Amino acid sequence: RKRKTPFRVRQCGHSWNALLLALMCAAVLISATATTAPNIQYSEKYFDMDFEYRHVVLPAEVARLCPKGKLLSENEWRQLGVQQSRGWGHYAIHRPEPHILMFRRPLGTDPVTGSVATGALASKTKTHNEIPKEK
């Protein structure tokens, strides 16, 4: 004999297992970035004549969520829980240690707006978005 349920389940063409799996994956992703964000380590800034640099060390749980073999957009690294002022660009992948994100921004960048101050650096042609691809 079939049990009657207090509510009706509407058939929508999706299996319950697939829906449950999607919800579980979303919960893991949210909890991983929310709980491990404090474990992200930030280096001090260092400089050359054109840029200021810093690197960020991701904990293993967050590094697993990181897309492999590509430079991250600002949206992507912020979704991983990396927090820093505006203007930083992910500019290189250190293959032996892909859990370390390397950032740079032009000297004179306003940390609030992310815009580069006019002046000597404005005449430079390369920015952190114009990086040659590794071979």
Side-chain angles (χ1 to χ4, degrees):
R1 200 178 196 194
K2 233 180 181 179
R3 279 174 113 176
K4 290 187 179 183
T5 57
F7 57 90
R8 279 185 189 229
V9 177
R10 188 173 150 207
Q11 293 294 328
C12 61
H14 299 289
S15 75
W16 286 105
N17 289 340
L19 181 61
L20 183 60
L21 181 62
L23 289 172
M24 287 171 42
C25 288
V28 167
L29 224 169
I30 290 169
S31 68
T33 55
T35 57
T36 57
N39 296 330
I40 293 175
Q41 298 174 5
Y42 300 85
S43 75
E44 294 294 322
K45 293 183 223 173
Y46 41 100
F47 308 88
D48 67 11
M49 298 298 290
D50 300 322
F51 294 95
E52 60 182 322
Y53 301 87
R54 87 170 341 159
H55 58 272
V56 175
V57 181
L58 299 176
E61 305 85 44
V62 176
R64 276 188 235 121
L65 303 172
C66 192
K68 305 291 183 248
K70 72 175 220 105
L71 297 177
L72 303 179
S73 68
E74 183 172 351
N75 254 355
E76 290 171 323
W77 55 258
R78 286 194 188 277
Q79 285 176 350
L80 291 173
V82 176
Q83 298 177 357
Q84 52 188 354
S85 57
R86 295 183 185 253
W88 291 99
H90 182 211
Y91 77 98
I93 299 168
H94 183 53
R95 300 254 182 246
E97 298 175 306
H99 65 285
I100 299 177
L101 304 180
M102 300 168 72
F103 292 93
R104 75 177 180 184
R105 69 178 173 189
L107 288 175
T109 301
D110 183 345
V112 176
T113 64
S115 61
V116 180
T118 56
L121 191 60
S123 65
K124 303 272 183 199
T125 56
K126 287 203 170 203
T127 66
H128 61 268
N129 293 325
E130 299 169 354
I131 310 297
K133 300 275 185 194
E134 283 188 43
K135 292 182 181 180

